[in-house]
Amino acid sequence: MVCSMAGASSKLALFLLGWVMVALGALTSEHREDDHHEDEYYVAAVYEHHSVLSPNPLELTSRKQALKLMNQNLNIYEEQVMTAAQKGVQILVFPEDGIHGFNFTRTSIYPFLDFMPSPQLVRWNPCLEPHRFNDTEVLQRLSCMAIKGKLFLVANLGTKQPCLSSDPGCPNDGRYQFNTNVVFSSNGTLVNRYRKHNLYFEAAFDTPLQVDHITFDTPFAGKFGIFTCFDILFFDPAIRLIRDQDVKHIAYPTAWMNQLPLLAAIEIQKAFAMAFGVNILAANIHHPSLGMTGSGIHTPQKSFWYHSMVTPRGQLIICQVAKNPVALIGAEKARGEMDASHSRFLKIVSGAYCEKDAQEVHCDKATKWNLNTPPTFHSEMMYDNFTLVPVRGKEGYLQVCSNGLCCYLLYERPTLSKELYALGVFDGLHTVHGTYYIQVCALVKCGGLGFDTCGQEITEAQGLFQFHLWGNFSTSYIFPLFLTSGMTLETPDQLGWENDHYFLRQRGLSSGLVTAALYGRLYERN
């Protein structure tokens, strides 16, 4: 995976760019020796956009004024398209809400909406046929950009669709309004559109009466799936696309407000790629004052991302991505890499290592690994009441349970830091900022030394760990979340199932652990 950042400005971006230039040089040499190597990759880009926002999104305005604001954002898009084209980019993804902004009412957003014909019913090139439909100025500009850049272009905009009073779902104002992703081919043709299904407090938009399960074909990487932001946490359309349509690449516009320790933008993007063995091209909006940043191009094994809470500008990320993503090493291959720690884990999870009766736990020879769990405590994490145990000492084996879920941690620490870490569990219905059922096992750094600080939002840590984290999940849909100090993404050494338990293994960390978690979704219990 070879990547670069155009106009990198933050310390993190500069560091990553320096690493990438070395990789680019190495890969260039490989290409001279093996030209067919290029056939295994495509060049993708995502743009994290610092959008020009309406000063008062609740105020009623005219179509002319709305277009004036949107064209300011489209001008920036066009600059990024041309930069990407110069780098040989074949597909470019822009973020959700990047053109018109957010916080509108149903009425105030209306001048910002383009008319959207169905690509399934109408073949249309807006750039070459600008007068075919009214109120399509934004679609026309995007289509022309795709032609100029000779690339596939994915963008998000607001769209409208008239409906009849005989339609039982038709709103009172006689139109549907959708949060819409559009895909243009390199010749400017409107290839497909996706209307967001899982709206996140978006009063301006309607939920489609039926879920869009949208894919589009490309000549360079085959089939892509597409969905938007909050959709990533739900079965429809995200999981069904992968399960039923064999999608290996995802275009993902988002306007994600970071929420640590479990749902930062880059954290969930990376987790989705790892969990389902796909490539995900994730473009987020860039408004650090609102906690909105974090874009990346993620494969199951590697990620290249941008996250900056200080830089005011947008960021273009360009990567060479494998056409056939390779999944992480699973449990079935773990035995080929046996060491003392993994041997202990396998004995514990098989029940051969420790036996628990009504009074005590009996373990074999190495008594230092006995299950000697300290008393539990409770603390709020992500608005949920987690049950936790403190993680103490240089090594140990811990368990904590809630409802039907038990979480386990087998760990060693090369050095001890003066920080409080805890192992937490939650098995229940999450009800704040959305309602959905989750099962979570989480090893987190607490905000301070008090138990009540566990679950707070932190980004810096010093604690180094080697560990196995696992649980007896009752779902197969599990997102492995893994963050280290400075909003750095880590890739686990192993993931997979062992004796009806799902585990994550990491042999060692190069920087302090912020979060290692297994985030299970029970879609049928929403």
Side-chain angles (χ1 to χ4, degrees):
M1 186 177 183
V2 177
C3 310
S4 64
M5 291 191 186
S9 52
S10 70
K11 291 182 180 178
L12 173 62
L14 287 170
F15 168 78
L16 290 173
L17 184 58
W19 176 87
V20 162
M21 293 311 294
V22 175
L24 279 168
L27 196 57
T28 301
S29 300
E30 291 177 13
H31 281 177
R32 293 193 190 102
E33 298 173 7
D34 188 4
D35 290 338
H36 77 269
H37 186 72
E38 292 183 0
D39 295 337
E40 301 174 8
Y41 296 89
Y42 64 97
V43 183
V46 300
Y47 181 60
E48 178 159 313
H49 177 47
H50 180 74
S51 52
V52 181
L53 299 175
S54 170
N56 184 2
L58 303 181
E59 185 179 58
L60 299 183
T61 187
S62 66
R63 175 69 174 173
K64 182 178 180 180
Q65 289 172 312
L67 285 170
K68 182 178 180 181
L69 181 141
M70 290 192 290
N71 277 320
Q72 293 179 68
N73 290 307
L74 289 166
N75 290 341
I76 298 170
Y77 277 27
E78 190 159 356
E79 293 172 2
Q80 302 307 317
V81 166
M82 300 318 296
T83 300
Q86 293 169 6
K87 303 288 186 180
V89 168
Q90 293 161 287
I91 182 169
L92 171 56
V93 181
F94 288 103
E96 180 186 24
D97 296 338
I99 296 172
H100 54 73
F102 36 75
N103 293 332
F104 293 94
T105 67
R106 181 176 183 84
T107 303
S108 67
I109 201 173
Y110 181 69
F112 293 83
L113 305 179
D114 268 34
F115 170 71
M116 182 81 243
S118 170
Q120 282 76 38
L121 301 176
V122 177
R123 182 172 176 81
W124 179 42
N125 188 311
C127 186
L128 303 183
E129 304 171 275
H131 304 297
R132 188 169 176 184
F133 303 102
N134 294 328
D135 293 339
T136 58
E137 292 90 340
V138 174
L139 291 169
Q140 292 168 32
R141 284 207 65 182
L142 293 170
S143 171
C144 292
M145 287 181 209
I147 294 173
K148 289 180 182 178
K150 298 179 181 178
L151 47 73
F152 272 65
L153 186 149
V154 178
N156 175 271
L157 72 158
T159 64
K160 59 187 178 183
Q161 178 184 324
C163 53
L164 301 174
S165 57
S166 57
D167 177 352
C170 185
N172 293 333
D173 52 20
R175 63 179 181 269
Y176 290 110
Q177 300 182 174
F178 296 119
N179 177 333
T180 305
N181 296 335
V182 289
V183 182
F184 292 97
S185 69
S186 56
N187 66 11
T189 299
L190 178 62
V191 173
N192 221 327
R193 62 101 205 271
Y194 166 73
R195 299 166 300 178
K196 186 177 180 182
H197 187 72
N198 298 286
L199 298 174
Y200 189 79
F201 304 101
E202 298 169 69
F205 294 118
D206 299 303
T207 300
L209 299 180
Q210 293 184 326
V211 184
D212 288 343
H213 298 106
I214 300 301
T215 63
F216 60 94
D217 291 316
T218 67
F220 49 83
K223 187 190 297 183
F224 278 73
I226 186 168
F227 49 83
T228 311
C229 202
F230 202 38
D231 286 327
I232 203 169
L233 292 179
F234 295 88
F235 188 84
D236 272 316
I239 308 305
R240 198 181 297 275
L241 273 178
I242 295 169
R243 190 192 70 175
D244 296 350
Q245 310 232 17
D246 195 31
V247 167
K248 296 297 183 184
H249 313 275
I250 300 292
Y252 179 59
T254 184
W256 193 280
M257 188 177 294
N258 289 295
Q259 192 174 14
L260 291 163
L262 302 178
L263 289 180
I266 57 172
E267 188 180 22
I268 192 65
Q269 295 162 14
K270 170 69 170 177
F272 193 92
M274 289 191 291
F276 302 110
V278 298
N279 297 328
I280 184 165
L281 316 181
N284 197 7
I285 210 81
H286 187 76
H287 289 285
S289 63
L290 301 174
M292 304 173 86
T293 181
S295 304
I297 296 178
H298 310 270
T299 75
Q301 297 201 9
K302 296 181 181 179
S303 285
F304 195 78
W305 71 92
Y306 177 77
H307 178 284
S308 174
M309 292 296 289
V310 295
T311 306
R313 296 188 295 275
Q315 187 66 59
L316 182 66
I317 303 172
I318 301 172
C319 277
Q320 192 178 62
V321 185
K323 294 179 182 179
N324 294 303
V326 179
L328 287 169
I329 297 175
E332 68 279 359
K333 299 180 182 178
R335 290 175 177 78
E337 304 180 10
M338 193 70 68
D339 56 26
S341 176
H342 200 65
S343 177
R344 290 188 192 100
F345 161 71
L346 291 175
K347 286 181 179 180
I348 294 171
V349 82
S350 68
Y353 195 72
C354 291
E355 294 180 355
K356 186 175 183 181
D357 60 25
Q359 286 77 38
E360 57 186 330
V361 176
H362 303 283
C363 296
D364 68 4
K365 301 175 184 177
T367 56
K368 65 183 180 180
W369 294 103
N370 283 5
L371 177 58
N372 186 20
T373 303
T376 61
F377 63 94
H378 294 270
S379 187
E380 186 178 279
M381 188 187 307
M382 309 281 293
Y383 303 103
D384 296 317
N385 185 27
F386 272 70
T387 304
L388 304 104
V389 291
V391 178
R392 292 172 173 152
K394 294 196 68 173
E395 54 193 12
Y397 166 39
L398 298 173
Q399 170 188 294
V400 62
C401 300
S402 175
N403 294 333
L405 177 65
C406 285
C407 302
Y408 305 86
L409 178 69
L410 181 66
Y411 67 96
E412 294 184 62
R413 303 180 66 180
T415 58
L416 287 178
S417 62
K418 296 179 181 180
E419 300 165 306
L420 175 62
Y421 281 85
L423 173 66
V425 59
F426 181 80
D427 181 358
L429 191 65
H430 175 84
T431 58
V432 178
H433 300 158
T435 302
Y436 45 92
Y437 202 101
I438 56 175
Q439 289 185 326
V440 183
C441 294
L443 170 61
V444 296
K445 178 186 177 292
C446 304
L449 298 180
F451 287 169
D452 61 340
T453 68
C454 297
Q456 291 182 355
E457 299 193 26
I458 61 105
T459 58
E460 303 297 328
Q462 296 178 332
L464 301 179
F465 285 81
Q466 300 174 25
F467 64 92
H468 288 77
L469 172 68
W470 72 98
N472 62 331
F473 291 88
S474 52
T475 176
S476 60
Y477 301 107
I478 301 169
F479 297 85
L481 308 172
F482 208 168
L483 272 179
T484 56
S485 193
M487 294 301 295
T488 303
L489 292 173
E490 290 277 347
T491 300
D493 291 316
Q494 288 171 281
L495 287 170
W497 289 94
E498 190 70 55
N499 280 58
D500 297 323
H501 291 72
Y502 191 83
F503 78 94
L504 177 156
R505 182 193 186 188
Q506 185 66 23
R507 292 185 182 88
L509 299 172
S510 56
S511 58
L513 180 68
V514 172
T515 303
L518 299 171
Y519 191 91
R521 281 287 286 111
L522 282 74
Y523 301 109
E524 70 279 4
R525 296 194 197 176
N526 285 352

